[in-house]
Amino acid sequence: MKDRDQAVGYAKIPARQPGAGIRGQDFVSMSGGAVRVLNPFSKNPRLAWDLLAFMHSAAATKSQLAGQVRISARADVNDEVLTADPMLKYIADEVLPLTAYRPGVAVYPQVSAALQEATAAVVSGKTADEAATAYQSALEDIVGGAANISG
């Protein structure tokens, strides 16, 4: 969308009510993605740590981006590479500080897909109530019933 930054505004997703988000926040966000870890049973923990530190360095992160404008795990890199993209800069500056990280459980990708479907339903013209009802039903199917859902 050529005029995205003029035609579209950006807003955080509000919690069900003020203060009802994770950590008592007024807004909510879930993030996830790839992670690199140090094996606690490594025979060379110092070398493994050095490699991990290099892989997460600013230079390596910028190299991995290869000139693409994407949010990274490093605020210093984001400050440098996101200056030309107001939407990604907004997300990095305003949303990432309040995000929670998705649970590392096997069914979470299904939960994520159901949430994406609910969002698509609203964008396609369904009411928020219709999308929320369908999402609730899908979520109950995924996690084995309403008793396994809190919130």
Side-chain angles (χ1 to χ4, degrees):
M1 185 174 169
K2 291 183 181 186
D3 66 341
R4 176 196 74 183
D5 299 321
Q6 293 74 40
V8 177
Y10 312 116
K12 294 179 271 192
I13 299 171
R16 187 176 41 219
Q17 59 190 6
I22 293 174
R23 297 182 298 268
Q25 298 173 165
D26 295 339
F27 300 95
V28 296
S29 171
M30 289 295 268
S31 296
V35 66
R36 297 175 183 138
V37 297
L38 178 63
N39 183 332
F41 302 108
S42 173
K43 292 182 181 175
N44 297 293
R46 183 68 210 163
L47 287 174
W49 178 258
D50 290 345
L51 175 62
L52 197 60
F54 167 74
M55 292 169 63
H56 289 275
S57 70
T61 300
K62 286 189 274 187
S63 178
Q64 183 182 24
L65 291 174
Q68 296 177 23
V69 179
R70 291 188 325 210
I71 295 174
S72 78
R74 293 188 59 104
D76 58 343
V77 172
N78 291 339
D79 287 344
E80 184 178 330
V81 301
L82 301 179
T83 57
D85 191 312
M87 182 192 71
L88 293 180
K89 181 89 171 109
Y90 176 84
I91 293 169
D93 292 348
E94 302 294 329
V95 179
L96 287 184
L98 60 87
T99 199
Y101 293 91
R102 68 182 186 204
V105 294
V107 298
Y108 190 80
Q110 295 170 19
V111 173
S112 183
L115 185 56
Q116 291 171 34
E117 290 169 8
T119 303
V122 171
V123 170
S124 299
K126 291 198 177 193
T127 68
D129 285 341
E130 290 171 323
T133 299
Y135 174 71
Q136 178 75 25
S137 177
L139 191 59
E140 288 175 11
D141 289 345
I142 293 166
V143 301
N148 295 321
I149 301 170
S150 64

